[in-house]
Amino acid sequence: MANWLGIFDYVVIAIMLSVSALIGVYFRFSGGRQKTTDEFLMGSRAMGIGPVAFSVMATCLSSVSVLGIPAETYLYGTEILLSIVGIPIGGFIAVYGFLPVFYDMKVATSYEYLERRFGKTTRTLTAVLFTLQMILYMGVVLYAPSLALNAVTGLSTWTSVLSLAAVCMFYSSQGGLKAVLWTIVFQALLMYTAMIAVIVKISMMKGFKETFSISNEGGRLIFFDLSGDVTKRYTFWNAIANGIVYYLATFGTNQSQIQRFLSIGNLHKAQIALLLSLPLMLLFRIFTVWDGIAVFALFHDCDPMEDENVKLSSPDQIFPFAILKMFGSIPGLTGLCIAGIFSASLGTLSSTVNSLAGITVEDFIKPYCPCKITDIWMTFAAKLLAVGYIGLTLLVTFIVANFRGVVEAATIITGVVGGPILGVYALGMFSLTANEPGTLVGFITGVIIYLWMGFGSYVAKAKIPTLSRSTSGCSTNSSIEFFQVTTPSTLLENITHSLPFIEDEKYVFPVYKWSYMWLTFFSLIIVIIVGYLASYVLSYLISLPDVKPEYMSPFVRNLYFKPKENAKKSKCNEVELNEKKGNVNPSYTITDET
């Protein structure tokens, strides 16, 4: 059931898009005017801590989170919130175990590290797979909110898609990383506004305590399901395991994030920026789950997916439907909340586009192009790449339009490369035994197993029981809200709607029933185990180069290397010079791996 937006709603959305575009114009004609690759891709390595912290938060959390997490909470409860345990754990490991390595080596992309540690093949393969993954993911991020909003507001799906793509293409290609970061600060405020507005409004309607009381009675407040059933969608164990792996991969290896940390130009400031982003992300994730709790309290006795007057076709539409129901009578407020949802898409799209342009320049063009290209032409190429990647995203969006369940598709897409790549970095930074041939064997094995399990489960569509929902408060007349005279016949019908639907289920291969929350963690373990064993065996069959201290994480560096007796410690500029010349750092000697 679609309800058209008012003129003031469209004005608010247009203002949000216009401000984003104007920020791109400002940075196009300020500072160095985006004439060098260092300024366009890295912000001249002089970005502030604040914009980077906001950017890290917004890049991690897209429209899929804004729409999907409230829907997951509404259907399955709050156990998903425990994934936030991974935010401080993953952040701490990245701050002190990963970032120092990237800064010590003065890399332009995270994949440049992999070439120095393993070889060019590892760098190219991981960069290519990450690029493909992010193009697919951007298609989902662009399409998901447009589809959901179209169903409940009448806002044209393709008008939304094309408008977001055009604005993102403009300010990303014109203003570079500076425009991306400062636009995200503006967009992040709108994201928080949309989420907080829903919480406040429902709390005013139902009461703060009553909101949680209703959700508790409805079985939504779940935090310690200690079940060992790997097929259960959310448990205490899979939420924490997935959270740690996801956020460690995001903070420690994802180029979209590493690029922002490197743009600060100072390790200490980059570490502060990452640490400051952690509470922002914790707060954001708490708000998204809280939105799910509040929306359930609003619809606890009249599920909009079962209500004959509404019949939403997807859980992703529940959050925007709640926005429309509560704020539809207030001019402009619905538009403000929808602008917040669009902002979540723009923040992720612009950050990803800029990082993909950097990967193409630094990991594909420079290492393989036989001719020497001036920095002016390289900058021009980077701007064209930003435009080109948005174009590819639009093509992918047309393909995604034919998929079922965009949130599930997004989860599978992001995990297929994220977990295995984290395994490669873990082997490189924490083990002297790991070498390129063995690591590649582990990486390819992890990707193949993930593809088999992830896409197998997506195609098999094993039935996942949701928590009970009710239609006891739904009205038989669409003009009457939340009121119904209950008769014995309608009571029996409502009880039926409240009970989980049971039918004979077709046979599904057991592995395809695994919760998607386990897949990334499982693929990481596969890469580490297979990669280490293969490296150990191959180390006896082939000659391998020595590993330099700078390649190892500070957590284990002192376990493998120790200063030579009576040798002076090298200064930072001497370490960089030795690195460029290919010399081993003279202030360390190698010890046997334990």
Side-chain angles (χ1 to χ4, degrees):
M1 182 182 73
N3 297 272
W4 295 100
L5 297 175
I7 184 64
F8 289 103
D9 297 317
Y10 284 107
V11 169
V12 172
I13 295 173
I15 290 174
M16 182 275 291
L17 296 175
S18 299
V19 170
S20 299
L22 289 174
I23 292 175
V25 172
Y26 173 79
F27 285 106
R28 169 63 180 84
F29 295 102
S30 65
R33 300 188 176 185
Q34 310 301 319
K35 292 183 179 180
T36 66
T37 54
D38 187 57
E39 181 179 18
F40 183 76
L41 297 175
M42 304 297 292
S44 301
R45 296 184 184 265
M47 294 305 301
I49 294 174
V52 170
F54 268 94
S55 174
V56 170
M57 180 272 296
T59 304
C60 287
L61 305 166
S62 67
S63 57
V64 174
S65 297
V66 174
L67 296 176
I69 293 178
E72 291 290 308
T73 304
Y74 181 91
L75 293 177
Y76 304 103
T78 57
E79 195 84 57
I80 191 175
L81 181 62
L82 290 179
S83 63
I84 67 173
V85 173
I87 295 177
I89 295 176
F92 174 83
I93 297 174
V95 163
Y96 299 106
F98 283 66
L99 277 186
V101 176
F102 297 129
Y103 264 93
D104 287 345
M105 300 178 66
K106 298 295 181 182
V107 297
T109 71
S110 58
Y111 305 109
E112 186 178 344
Y113 162 79
L114 295 180
E115 179 178 358
R116 298 190 192 180
R117 174 62 178 88
F118 294 117
K120 184 175 287 188
T121 302
T122 304
R123 175 184 185 177
T124 303
L125 180 60
T126 53
V128 167
L129 290 180
F130 176 80
T131 300
L132 293 176
Q133 169 204 342
M134 295 312 296
I135 292 174
L136 292 172
Y137 180 67
M138 285 194 298
V140 176
V141 167
L142 185 60
Y143 184 71
S146 302
L147 177 64
L149 292 170
N150 168 260
V152 297
T153 67
L155 188 64
S156 171
T157 299
W158 294 109
T159 298
S160 302
V161 167
L162 293 175
S163 298
L164 290 174
V167 172
C168 183
M169 181 184 296
F170 178 78
Y171 74 77
S172 297
S173 61
Q174 295 300 307
L177 183 63
K178 293 179 181 178
V180 169
L181 296 189
W182 281 107
T183 304
I184 286 177
V185 173
F186 165 67
Q187 293 163 350
L189 295 176
L190 291 178
M191 291 162 56
Y192 274 105
T193 299
M195 294 186 298
I196 294 174
V198 171
I199 293 171
V200 171
K201 179 63 175 178
I202 294 178
S203 296
M204 292 173 62
M205 293 171 60
K206 298 289 184 178
F208 179 81
K209 292 183 178 179
E210 187 65 17
T211 298
F212 286 91
S213 177
I214 293 172
S215 296
N216 186 44
E217 292 175 3
R220 262 56 185 182
L221 301 186
I222 310 170
F223 295 105
F224 297 101
D225 184 347
L226 301 178
S227 170
D229 185 359
V230 295
T231 66
K232 209 166 187 179
R233 192 169 184 85
Y234 299 111
T235 66
F236 176 86
W237 309 112
N238 68 25
I240 291 181
N242 179 270
I244 294 174
V245 173
Y246 174 80
Y247 288 107
L248 177 56
T250 299
F251 297 139
T253 69
N254 190 301
Q255 173 57 21
S256 297
Q257 306 295 5
I258 301 301
Q259 182 180 13
R260 276 128 194 79
F261 299 138
L262 295 178
S263 70
I264 295 180
N266 178 279
L267 174 60
H268 181 64
K269 291 182 178 179
Q271 290 174 322
I272 293 176
L274 201 163
L275 292 174
L276 286 178
S277 72
L278 300 184
L280 294 175
M281 296 186 66
L282 284 166
L283 194 61
F284 187 96
R285 180 54 64 92
I286 290 172
F287 278 144
T288 54
V289 173
W290 195 348
D291 278 321
I293 294 172
V295 171
F296 176 78
L298 181 66
F299 297 129
H300 71 283
D301 58 353
C302 187
D303 177 33
M305 297 183 68
E306 297 289 347
D307 183 4
E308 293 297 333
N309 298 317
V310 182
K311 275 294 184 183
L312 298 182
S313 59
S314 169
D316 305 324
Q317 299 165 358
I318 292 176
F319 186 65
F321 177 71
I323 290 174
L324 187 69
K325 192 171 187 65
M326 292 184 296
F327 304 127
S329 60
I330 306 175
L333 192 52
T334 300
L336 180 64
C337 293
I338 291 176
I341 297 174
F342 279 165
S343 295
S345 285
L346 281 175
T348 301
L349 286 173
S350 59
S351 296
T352 305
V353 164
N354 191 264
S355 66
L356 290 181
I359 288 173
T360 306
V361 168
E362 298 292 341
D363 295 316
F364 300 148
I365 297 178
K366 287 184 177 180
Y368 290 100
C369 184
C371 54
K372 186 175 182 180
I373 304 177
T374 63
D375 192 60
I376 294 177
W377 281 103
M378 193 67 77
T379 305
F380 179 71
K383 294 178 180 179
L384 287 181
L385 287 167
V387 174
Y389 277 120
I390 289 292
L392 284 175
T393 300
L394 282 174
L395 293 177
V396 171
T397 301
F398 282 97
I399 299 174
V400 170
N402 297 313
F403 284 0
R404 297 174 299 171
V406 289
V407 174
E408 183 180 358
T411 302
I412 293 175
I413 288 170
T414 53
V416 67
V417 175
I421 285 184
L422 176 58
V424 172
Y425 280 91
L427 287 170
M429 292 188 180
F430 291 89
S431 173
L432 286 179
T433 300
N435 52 59
E436 184 172 43
T439 299
L440 287 177
V441 170
F443 176 68
I444 295 172
T445 302
V447 171
I448 291 175
I449 291 178
Y450 189 102
L451 286 171
W452 167 56
M453 295 178 64
F455 286 96
S457 64
Y458 181 70
V459 172
K461 292 291 182 184
K463 291 189 178 298
I464 303 172
T466 66
L467 298 175
S468 62
R469 291 169 285 158
S470 174
T471 57
S472 61
C474 295
S475 62
T476 56
N477 189 328
S478 60
S479 63
I480 303 176
E481 295 186 330
F482 300 104
F483 177 78
Q484 179 182 7
V485 177
T486 303
T487 64
S489 60
T490 58
L491 178 61
L492 178 61
E493 180 183 354
N494 292 331
I495 292 175
T496 303
H497 278 305
S498 300
L499 295 175
F501 182 69
I502 301 174
E503 67 174 19
D504 292 335
E505 184 178 347
K506 65 179 181 180
Y507 174 77
V508 176
F509 189 64
V511 172
Y512 297 158
K513 296 181 180 181
W514 279 34
S515 168
Y516 76 94
M517 297 287 280
W518 283 115
L519 298 183
T520 305
F521 176 81
F522 184 69
S523 64
L524 167 65
I525 299 301
I526 289 293
V527 172
I528 292 176
I529 293 176
V530 175
Y532 184 88
L533 293 177
S535 296
Y536 182 80
V537 173
L538 290 172
S539 65
Y540 289 96
L541 303 176
I542 58 177
S543 59
L544 299 167
D546 292 334
V547 179
K548 300 178 182 180
E550 295 82 8
Y551 300 168
M552 307 302 293
S553 169
F555 288 153
V556 298
R557 191 176 292 170
N558 290 333
L559 297 177
Y560 298 140
F561 303 90
K562 58 184 180 180
K564 286 184 177 180
E565 294 182 1
N566 301 323
K568 295 182 179 180
K569 294 183 178 180
S570 299
K571 296 181 181 179
C572 292
N573 59 349
E574 292 175 343
V575 172
E576 295 171 14
L577 182 61
N578 288 330
E579 181 66 44
K580 292 180 181 179
K581 291 181 178 180
N583 298 327
V584 177
N585 190 331
S587 63
Y588 289 92
T589 57
I590 190 168
T591 64
D592 292 334
E593 181 177 6
T594 57

